[in-house]
Amino acid sequence: MPASQPRSRARDRNNVLNRAEFLSLNQPLKGNQDSRSSSRKQSSQAGAAGAQNSNPKERRQSQQLPEEDCMQLNPSFKGIAFNSLLAIDICMSKRLGVCANRASSWGGARSMINLLGITGHGIPWIAGTLICLVKSSTLAGQEVLMNLLLALLLDIMIVAGLQKLAKRKGPYDITPGLLDYLTMDTYAFPAGHASRVAMLSKFFLNHLVLAIPLRILLVLWALCVGFSRVMIGRHHITDVLSGFVFGYLQFRLVELIWMSSNTCQMLISIW
């Protein structure tokens, strides 16, 4: 035992790390430890106080941020397909807007295309129906004209309501005309002209006796009026196609609520 103690003391003396300049490496100062521990405690207390003072909404938002980022970085297949179709629709509609302004490739035919579009406006059709109703003297004619007037009014209200909900603008920044403001046809989706001509053509095909050439011309007129709205840059292609669908649905609705001859006579007498 006495011999082992001098040996251990000699090793301690020979150990370089036991020198004064290296003591800070082996044994950190107590003041540093105290300051670090106190700073950690203060930061933890401040974090706890901040967490208590934060609102539950902020906590939820902070928890939802990574999930929202993941949704944006990894969109669903339906979202990708929808955005792709929307981009194709906008691109094709801009290319087909050959009469959007005077500087377009078919700018000289803009007035003629606008004249074709007037044949699908609601105001001329309502005025013409009222004039024919006043001059009609048969019960069958008055019944058809009253239901046609009902169909035109329903078309204006339904299309105006859908456009207010969608609020989709056209491919070109074109100011609506006076007749468009009267029929509240100020937005793009769905196309009011397309729905109206589709409803009218189907109505006439079902309730009027027409020869085959006239039936073909009626269908061609509806198609030309609908796609003329794309040519002048007022609507997208999908706006016109959806307008055709809504026009057919409006015709089916009028057929379901068809007013009889007695009801039409009562309304005419009141009027």
Side-chain angles (χ1 to χ4, degrees):
M1 290 293 293
S4 61
Q5 289 179 357
R7 291 177 186 174
S8 61
R9 290 174 184 173
R11 284 188 207 136
D12 294 337
R13 280 195 296 265
N14 294 329
N15 192 0
V16 180
L17 295 177
N18 288 330
R19 295 180 183 178
E21 59 268 22
F22 296 108
L23 284 176
S24 60
L25 297 176
N26 295 330
Q27 298 177 357
L29 297 176
K30 295 181 179 180
N32 292 337
Q33 291 179 349
D34 296 337
S35 61
R36 289 176 186 174
S37 61
S38 61
S39 62
R40 288 175 185 174
K41 289 179 181 179
Q42 291 176 359
S43 62
S44 62
Q45 290 175 358
Q52 290 176 358
N53 294 329
S54 61
N55 296 327
K57 293 182 179 179
E58 295 179 357
R59 294 179 192 171
R60 292 173 188 170
Q61 290 178 357
S62 63
Q63 292 175 358
Q64 291 176 357
L65 280 176
E67 188 174 351
E68 292 176 358
D69 293 340
C70 292
M71 291 298 292
Q72 292 178 358
L73 293 175
N74 299 313
S76 62
F77 175 77
K78 291 182 180 179
I80 295 174
F82 177 77
N83 292 331
S84 301
L85 291 175
L86 189 63
I88 293 172
D89 178 36
I90 295 173
C91 180
M92 293 298 295
S93 301
K94 284 183 175 291
R95 289 195 175 188
L96 291 176
V98 292
C99 302
N101 47 55
R102 294 293 181 183
S104 301
S105 56
W106 289 15
R110 180 176 172 81
S111 57
M112 185 178 64
I113 299 299
N114 281 326
L115 183 62
L116 179 62
I118 292 176
T119 62
H121 269 289
I123 298 299
W125 276 101
I126 291 175
T129 303
L130 289 173
I131 294 171
C132 294
L133 186 60
V134 170
K135 294 185 177 181
S136 178
S137 58
T138 61
L139 295 178
Q142 291 176 355
E143 179 183 352
V144 172
L145 289 171
M146 281 296 296
N147 284 280
L148 177 59
L149 182 61
L150 174 64
L152 290 169
L153 294 176
L154 282 176
D155 174 74
I156 290 176
M157 291 188 292
I158 292 173
V159 170
L162 291 173
Q163 286 187 356
K164 290 293 183 183
L165 289 174
K167 291 185 178 181
R168 186 187 188 189
K169 296 183 179 180
Y172 292 91
D173 189 12
I174 297 176
T175 305
L178 177 61
L179 293 178
D180 295 327
Y181 282 111
L182 290 176
T183 56
M184 295 175 287
D185 187 11
T186 55
Y187 290 100
F189 180 87
H193 287 66
S195 67
R196 196 168 301 116
V197 295
M199 183 269 297
L200 288 171
S201 60
K202 186 63 178 174
F203 189 92
F204 291 149
L205 289 174
N206 275 42
H207 297 286
L208 294 180
V209 179
L210 300 174
I212 293 178
L214 290 177
R215 288 175 172 268
I216 296 173
L217 287 176
L218 190 62
V219 174
L220 290 176
W221 166 74
L223 293 174
C224 290
V225 171
F227 284 101
S228 69
R229 307 299 289 173
V230 180
M231 295 177 66
I232 64 171
R234 185 73 173 76
H235 295 279
H236 299 89
I237 298 174
T238 52
D239 299 334
V240 173
L241 295 178
S242 61
F244 288 150
V245 174
F246 282 116
Y248 176 77
L249 294 177
Q250 290 166 9
F251 166 76
R252 300 300 301 175
L253 177 61
V254 172
E255 290 292 311
L256 289 175
I257 60 174
W258 184 269
M259 294 185 294
S260 63
S261 180
N262 295 331
T263 305
C264 294
Q265 290 301 312
M266 182 182 67
L267 293 175
I268 291 173
S269 63
I270 294 172
W271 178 40

